[in-house]
Each structure stands twice: as structure tokens, then as C-alpha cells.
Amino acid sequence: MSPHAAELTAILDPKRVLTEREHLLTYGFDGTAALQGEAGVVVFPQTTEEVAKIVRYAAKEKIPIVSRGSGTGLSGGSIPTAKAIVLCLVKMDRVLELDEKNLTIFAEAGTITQKITETADAAGLLYPPDPGSMKISTIGGNVAENSGGLRGLKYGITRDYIMGLEVVLASGEIVFLGNKCVKDVAGYSMKDVFVGSEGTLGIITKVLLKLVPKPASKKTLLATYATMDAAADTVSAIIAAKIIPCTMEFLDRITIKCVEDYAKIGLPLDAEAILFMETDGHPAVTGEQAKQMEEIARRCGAKAVQIAANAEEAAKLATARRSAFSALARVSPTTILEDATVPRSELTKMIRFIQDVGARHRLRIGTFGHMGDGNLHPTFLTDERNTEEMERVEIAMKEIFDYAIQLGGTITGEHGVGLAKKKFLPEAIGEASLSLLRQLKRTLDPDGILNPGKIFD
């Protein structure tokens, strides 16, 4: 049993303190393949005050503390350090307020993202960020990783919707950063420091989010291509026509086959690429834009373009993209989903390079992602028990990240750095920027107890 269990059960109901080894091993994983740890103890606070008490105890005893939600992260961000207190926030899952006058929603960090979306939708409002894990990921985790999603091209990412955060600092002090004001420039924008901080600077306990009016209509299209170049040309031409779709996603040939085997929705198995596109807004606008997008796609070489006739058909087409990861995960024992990101203009080069890397290193890599914003998901279908193959995967990953940086891109668009990518960070941001991150970490967490070893050593 953890030597800290007695003190923690004095803070929490003993039923919310786990010490059995099977639980400690279970909470040693997140969604990242081939990474694991073992917790020292797992605790489930239900209030911010309980979180603060746990952090104050950890600070006094210099115990590492790792916060987590549903554990869907893909960069090892919630893998615990040995003997760490794993602070799981899933029991803090209440929507506290929906403010229709100020277009905000206030929720605890453990609230499932889809619950946020559904609560807003019921009031005729929209919370735009829609990460692929939204049915299970928590809003606090989304903020900690600065998650993206399929609607990022038009609506932006999680950071763009954060109006305020309640945070427990490394000392156990509780602060609230931000407010409901659309304009607020008093002092440093401290809430932004914690967005994407991956639990290394403070523990996010409540989130105040901006909402927008729900679009009156949406049109969904699926275009099929014989070449990836033609799909990329379509994206460029649509943007050049001053149309900003809310969604513009692509699947490569390997992913198309896996999705069709999985979902059986009638995708063409001879296609090299498909584009899934959505436009939303006023009905007259979406209708006109859908026609323009269809014309542009055909002009750029699309073999076929399908426009969904109704919501049911649109949902069926959306399955092609939203099931991509699940479909690929069925193929091999280990699925490693990455998220190299490049400027939109460099997408074709990047996709070709990923295909070349797979061929040279004898690896099966399915690629899909957000073609509208340059965020690619090269997905390695492998087996972590095969040491020699995993060595080739590591070499291939480094080549992909190096090339993304060479093209003016970055090592992650939405998954975060965590453990998985920290060795690539110095090249991605430079030593001067890395030094600033370290200074900030030392200032806010001088004893280094919050999620140690993540982002950088």
C-alpha cells in the first residue's frame, strides 16, 4: 500500500482512494501506444477544495502529482511518474451554468466534451471544438492539450473558446483566470499560459467556454480522387475562391480500405484519396457554397462528388472520417497515431514524403487528417512486441517530424508533447523558446511536482 494512502483517506472518502496494484497498473496508461507507468496511488476528488488539499499535501511531501481525465491522450501526457499521486478528475463532471445572455457555458474539468456540445445544442448554440475523442474525453483534458478537431479550419481550436479557467497551483492555491467579458486586457493573459500546458503548471478544475449561435443549415460532400495531388488542389482552389468550409478532411488509400472494411459505407476501394467537406451557415449560403465546392472538386479532377441529401445521409458520409482511427486500429496489434502539421501549401509534399517513408522502412502507414488546416495523422499499423519493427517506426517518425519542421511545420497540431514527443521539441521550437518554457515551469512549480518529465526534462 502507498505510504501516502492514510493521509489521502483523511482528505477523501476511502472509496475514492485506490491502492490495489491492478488499479495502479490500469492508471499507468493513456491512449498512447507502447508507453506505460505505474501510479503510486489514485485519487478521485469531487471538489476544487479537495484537489487543493491533495496538492498542498503533495507539495509538503514533495510527491509528484499527475492529473488526468478519461486517459484518451495520445502523447503520454498522463503516464504517471513512479510513486506519483494520480489525480483523476472524472468525478468532477457537472455543467454548472449555461448563460444564454453572454453565450458561455461553465463546467467542471471532468465533464465529457460531448456533454458540453449537447448542452449547448439543446439551447440552439454551438461549442465548435470537436476532437475525435469527444464522446469520452474530458473538457479539462481538451484544455490541457489544447485539442483541435474536424471544425478547426473555420472555427479554430480549444484555445479560441477559453474565456476563463479555475486552476489549482502547485502550492495548492486556487485562482480564477479570465471572465465573461468579450474584451479583457487587464494584465497578462494568464489563462492562455495554462491552455496546452499538459498539467505541468497547474491543475485545471473548472472551465468557462465561449459558445456561438448554431448554424441554421449544413451541407455535406464527399469527393473521390485518383491522386492525392488532385485532392490537395481542390482544397487550395476552394480556399482561393474565398470559401471557408467548417470541415475539410481527407483519407488516403490505406485508410479508405480500412474504413470500408470496418464501416461498409460504400467507399470506392480504387480511390487514392477522398475529401470529406462540410459548409455551414444560412441555408442560401450553404446551398450556393456546396454547388461551388462540387464544381471546384470536379474541375480539379474528382472522379465523383456526392452531396448528402439529408441529415441521415450526411451522418453516413461523416462516418468515413470519424471512424478512421477505429478502423485502422483493427488492423494490427499496435496503432500509433501521430499528428505532424505543416502549412496548407505544403500538404502534398508532406503526404508524399510519408508514403515514401513507409515504403523505405517497410512500414504500413495510413494517413488521414485535417487537410484544411494542414494537420496530418500518419498512423503506424505495427506491433510493439516486434522490437526490430519498432526501431524502424522510431526512425520513420523522426524523419517525418524533421521534414515537417523543414517545411515550416511543427511536431504536433493537437495531441501535445507529453513523453512521446519531448525529444523532438528542441528542434521544433529552438533552444531560446525552450528556455522560456523552463523558466515558466520553475516559476509556477519550483519543486517540479506537477506532471514531471513531460514536455521537457
Side-chain angles (χ1 to χ4, degrees):
M1 180 178 287
S2 167
H4 311 293
E7 288 81 357
L8 291 168
T9 53
I11 298 170
L12 303 179
D13 182 330
K15 293 179 182 178
R16 293 190 275 125
V17 179
L18 304 182
T19 57
E20 294 84 358
R21 189 153 190 264
E22 58 265 34
H23 293 138
L24 303 184
L25 287 171
T26 299
Y27 285 87
F29 292 85
D30 65 5
T32 316
L35 288 177
Q36 66 183 86
E38 183 175 338
V41 60
V42 183
V43 295
F44 295 86
Q46 290 182 329
T47 67
T48 300
E49 289 68 30
E50 287 181 344
V51 174
K53 287 178 183 178
I54 294 164
V55 173
R56 283 195 288 271
Y57 171 72
K60 183 183 73 170
E61 300 294 329
K62 304 293 189 291
I63 308 165
I65 187 164
V66 179
S67 54
R68 69 180 278 147
S70 299
T72 58
L74 292 167
S75 62
S78 56
I79 302 292
T81 311
K83 308 303 180 187
I85 297 172
V86 170
L87 193 150
C88 188
L89 298 166
V90 295
K91 292 187 182 298
M92 296 177 62
D93 61 353
R94 295 177 300 157
V95 173
L96 301 170
E97 179 192 54
L98 176 68
D99 184 344
E100 296 185 53
K101 291 181 179 178
N102 288 300
L103 298 184
T104 63
I105 189 167
F106 189 43
E108 292 179 317
T111 307
I112 299 300
T113 310
Q114 183 155 311
K115 185 177 179 181
I116 301 281
T117 301
E118 290 172 348
T119 303
D121 184 73
L125 297 169
L126 174 68
Y127 175 64
D130 59 338
S133 60
M134 66 185 293
K135 291 182 179 180
I136 186 172
S137 63
T138 61
I139 193 64
N142 290 178
V143 176
E145 299 293 337
N146 195 17
S147 300
L150 276 65
R151 291 192 283 250
L153 170 62
K154 179 174 181 178
Y155 289 104
I157 57 177
T158 300
R159 171 178 280 117
D160 301 310
Y161 295 87
I162 305 302
M163 297 192 76
L165 296 175
E166 181 184 76
V167 181
V168 177
L169 302 178
S171 63
E173 181 183 1
I174 302 168
V175 296
F176 194 90
L177 310 168
N179 53 52
K180 291 182 181 180
C181 297
V182 174
K183 293 181 178 178
D184 176 17
V185 296
Y188 301 142
S189 183
M190 290 302 297
K191 64 181 172 59
D192 290 305
V193 170
F194 291 90
V195 178
S197 63
E198 303 186 29
T200 64
L201 302 179
I203 296 171
I204 297 162
T205 50
K206 292 174 186 169
V207 183
L208 178 66
L209 300 165
K210 176 175 71 175
L211 303 175
V212 298
K214 185 179 174 183
S217 73
K218 180 170 67 176
K219 287 287 185 180
T220 303
L221 301 85
L222 191 73
T224 306
Y225 297 87
T227 69
M228 187 64 72
D229 288 16
D233 288 345
T234 299
V235 173
S236 298
I238 287 172
I239 302 298
K242 299 181 176 57
I243 300 170
I244 305 296
C246 65
T247 305
M248 193 176 281
E249 302 286 305
F250 85 98
L251 280 66
D252 74 351
R253 179 171 45 82
I254 290 176
T255 311
I256 292 168
K257 184 179 186 309
C258 291
V259 169
E260 184 56 26
D261 287 346
Y262 172 63
K264 302 201 173 7
I265 55 178
L267 298 181
L269 297 178
D270 60 341
E272 282 296 311
I274 61 173
L275 274 184
F276 169 70
M277 300 175 283
E278 290 181 320
T279 177
D280 65 4
H282 189 278
V285 174
T286 55
E288 179 60 32
Q289 287 188 342
K291 289 179 184 177
Q292 288 179 271
M293 289 161 67
E294 179 184 12
E295 291 169 3
I296 290 169
R298 293 188 187 281
R299 192 164 65 241
C300 289
K303 294 162 56 178
V305 182
Q306 182 180 356
I307 301 179
N310 49 48
E312 182 179 353
E313 194 172 323
K316 182 179 178 182
L317 294 181
T319 301
R321 169 59 181 87
R322 291 194 179 273
S323 64
F325 183 38
S326 301
L328 288 165
R330 298 169 67 245
V331 175
S332 298
T334 304
T335 307
I336 302 175
L337 177 65
E338 282 302 346
D339 73 325
T341 303
V342 296
R344 219 166 23 223
S345 58
E346 306 295 343
L347 269 170
T348 304
K349 290 180 188 174
M350 192 71 226
I351 294 166
R352 282 180 187 157
F353 184 81
I354 292 168
Q355 292 172 335
D356 176 62
V357 165
R360 282 192 288 106
H361 294 291
R362 307 186 318 280
L363 295 169
R364 194 172 186 194
I365 307 175
T367 304
F368 63 96
H370 318 296
M371 193 165 246
D373 57 28
N375 186 193
L376 303 176
H377 293 305
T379 305
F380 294 80
L381 310 179
T382 183
D383 186 345
E384 63 188 280
R385 296 168 296 185
N386 185 333
T387 304
E388 187 274 334
E389 185 172 77
M390 288 300 288
E391 288 173 355
R392 285 186 276 122
V393 168
E394 285 294 321
I395 293 168
M397 270 194 220
K398 184 177 188 312
E399 289 185 13
I400 288 170
F401 291 135
D402 285 348
Y403 191 63
I405 292 166
Q406 183 183 324
L407 292 176
T410 182
I411 60 173
T412 177
E414 55 191 10
H415 293 173
V417 177
L419 284 176
K421 296 184 181 179
K422 67 179 183 178
K423 62 187 172 185
F424 305 116
L425 188 62
E427 185 179 351
I429 68 172
E431 286 298 333
S433 294
L434 194 58
S435 177
L436 282 175
L437 297 189
R438 289 195 173 105
Q439 288 180 53
L440 189 59
K441 171 71 170 173
R442 284 194 296 268
T443 300
L444 292 174
D445 182 19
D447 293 319
I449 65 167
L450 295 179
N451 211 5
K454 308 300 164 52
I455 303 179
F456 47 76
D457 292 318

